[in-house]
């Protein structure tokens, strides 16, 4: 599958080992409704930004 944001190929069933990617996956499911469509790197970027700027998710 190709990532919806960066178009890189990834395995959506691969486990996420990075807390930032896990937060990005949470946001993908709860806020953006694109779970399974983003690669781990894009999930981690989204998660890092969420942890930095969206304090309501602490």
């Amino acid at each position: 599958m190709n990532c919806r944001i960066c178009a890189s190929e990834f395995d959506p069933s691969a486990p996420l080992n990075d807390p930032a990617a896990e937060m990005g996956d949470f946001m993908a499911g709860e806020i953006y409704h694109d779970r399974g469509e983003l690669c781990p790197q894009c999930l981690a970027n989204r998660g890092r930004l969420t942890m930095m700027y969206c304090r309501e998710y602490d």
Side-chain angles (χ1 to χ4, degrees), residues 6-57:
C6 71
S8 67
E9 194 168 319
F10 74 101
D11 178 7
S13 65
L16 299 174
N17 300 325
D18 179 9
E22 291 175 6
M23 176 56 105
D25 187 57
F26 169 79
M27 296 299 289
E30 298 295 319
I31 305 299
Y32 298 105
H33 307 292
D34 56 4
R35 181 173 274 151
E37 299 178 22
L38 304 181
C39 70
Q41 182 63 47
C42 288
L43 286 174
N45 291 341
R46 180 183 280 177
R48 222 172 273 111
L49 289 169
T50 298
M51 290 187 287
M52 288 170 46
Y53 296 109
C54 298
R55 303 313 301 190
E56 63 270 21
Y57 295 106

